[in-house]
Amino acid sequence: MRRPLCTAQAVRYNGAETVFAPGRIPLSVRRKDMPELPEVETVRQGLAAAMTGLRLQEVTLRRADLRLPFPDGFSPSVTGRRVMGLRRRAKYLLMDLDNGLTVIMHLGMSGRFTILPPEAQPAWPSLGPHDHVVFDLEDGARVVYADPRRFGLMTLCARARLDSHPLLAHLGAEPLGASFTADYLSAALRRRRTAIKSALLDQKIVVGIGNIYACEALFQARISPRRSSHTVPGRRAGRLVDAIRAVLEAALAAGGSSLRDYARTDGELGYFQHSFAVYDRAGAPCPRPGCSGTIRRLAQGGRSSFYCPACQR
DNA sequence: CGTACACCCTGGCCGC
DNA sequence: TGCGGCCAGGGTGTAC
């Protein structure tokens, strides 16, 4: 399918709705399907509702690895166990089992879970080539993990040693947690000379922010993605912390409502229509009221940044 | 240690 | 219209 030509496009900004003038600039209305913190949290809620308290009657691995190999004994360690609950740390999903083990799961870029309710069983879709893990629950429901690009992972860890697991030990602050403050961010950035955009993607500083929300938060905080990190501490760090929280919370709210919609239809979790102020909008007018700038695209660290050079400094 | 970049993978988009 | 090529991205590993 080709990208639609822009006729009129609505974008939400600070609660006010801005409508782009008709133009000839091709704008993709890209469906966001890269899991960042809000998407992972939405998936966590869906899985928790479907799995908590139930036994995993059968767990099937349909290949030997994703980004990493499944650990030896994965299926036997998990099969027959009861799911005590689902937690999230950064973009990792943590499924606690009743034998003291926790399943660590990451969606990578294209990982997705689908919940097939028991009553729909005769009409369940057959498994495709990218359906790598199948959890059959004791109530007859089925949870399928699919991941075309296989950047995701699934592994096991004793719950008592979870905090020192190599994947989790070096993670920075949760952006929606109490420890993520202007002072914390200022201290983390003070001696860094990389661009602030790259620092926001560094999971040792703050977790859960991917390329899209990094761009959106910098736009809302009116900070250029090119600004050197060590010039952010102080007032800008305060704006940035507020902007990160606002952007993630708005996406979480959208995810929650889409979860209810999807649960009624095909049970697919965490993927929803979402529009962005700057992400993937190169050439579009800046949506900030009163700003006449044009959104630009910039390559930083092998990744695309989108920003308004007129109002982000 | 901080920084920069290659790499993993495949669907989808682009140009020819 | 068909096909080859390139790009997207998170996280880790390596080289400077």
Side-chain angles (χ1 to χ4, degrees), chain A residues 62 66 127-133 144-150:
Chain A
R62 304 184 67 243
L66 296 171
L127 295 170
H130 303 307
D131 294 327
H132 306 310
V133 185
V144 180
Y145 176 76
D147 187 357
R149 279 175 234 193
R150 305 205 302 275

Side-chain angles (χ1 to χ4, degrees), chain A residues 249-259 272-274:
Chain A
E249 271 164 9
L252 266 174
S257 54
S258 83
L259 176 58
F272 39 93
Q273 207 76 32
H274 205 292

Side-chain angles (χ1 to χ4, degrees), chain A residues 181-248:
Chain A
T181 60
D183 284 347
Y184 169 89
L185 187 61
S186 293
L189 297 177
R190 199 153 278 144
R191 280 172 196 81
R192 295 213 162 221
R193 310 198 79 83
T194 45
I196 183 63
K197 162 72 185 316
S198 303
L200 289 185
L201 297 178
D202 185 342
Q203 304 294 299
K204 290 191 286 299
I205 297 177
V206 57
V207 300
I209 304 175
N211 199 41
I212 295 173
Y213 294 127
C215 294
E216 295 297 307
L218 286 168
F219 173 75
Q220 194 159 135
R222 305 193 312 280
I223 297 171
S224 167
R226 314 171 63 166
R227 174 172 284 280
S228 183
S229 295
H230 77 282
T231 68
V232 172
R235 212 177 280 177
R236 289 188 186 95
R239 291 210 312 266
L240 191 48
V241 165
D242 291 346
I244 288 167
R245 285 228 173 84
V247 161
L248 294 179

Side-chain angles (χ1 to χ4, degrees), chain A residues 118-180:
Chain A
E119 59 271 18
Q121 189 158 349
W124 278 358
S126 54
L127 295 170
H130 303 307
D131 294 327
H132 306 310
V133 185
V134 180
F135 299 93
D136 282 305
L137 308 184
E138 66 175 329
D139 69 347
R142 168 175 277 192
V143 176
V144 180
Y145 176 76
D147 187 357
R149 279 175 234 193
R150 305 205 302 275
F151 279 21
L153 68 87
M154 231 177 259
T155 192
L156 284 175
C157 182
R159 188 139 60 249
R161 291 194 291 274
L162 207 52
D163 288 343
S164 55
H165 191 282
L167 292 170
L168 307 177
H170 305 291
L171 294 173
E174 285 287 336
L176 299 178
S179 67
F180 186 60

Side-chain angles (χ1 to χ4, degrees), chain A residues 82-85 87 94-98 101-102 159 162:
Chain A
R82 194 179 293 280
V83 177
M84 308 303 285
R87 295 178 287 153
L94 307 172
M95 181 165 65
D96 294 320
L97 305 180
D98 65 355
L101 291 178
T102 295
R159 188 139 60 249
L162 207 52

Side-chain angles (χ1 to χ4, degrees), chain A residues 6 86 167 269 300:
Chain A
C6 174
L86 276 126
L167 292 170
L269 296 178
Q300 284 184 300

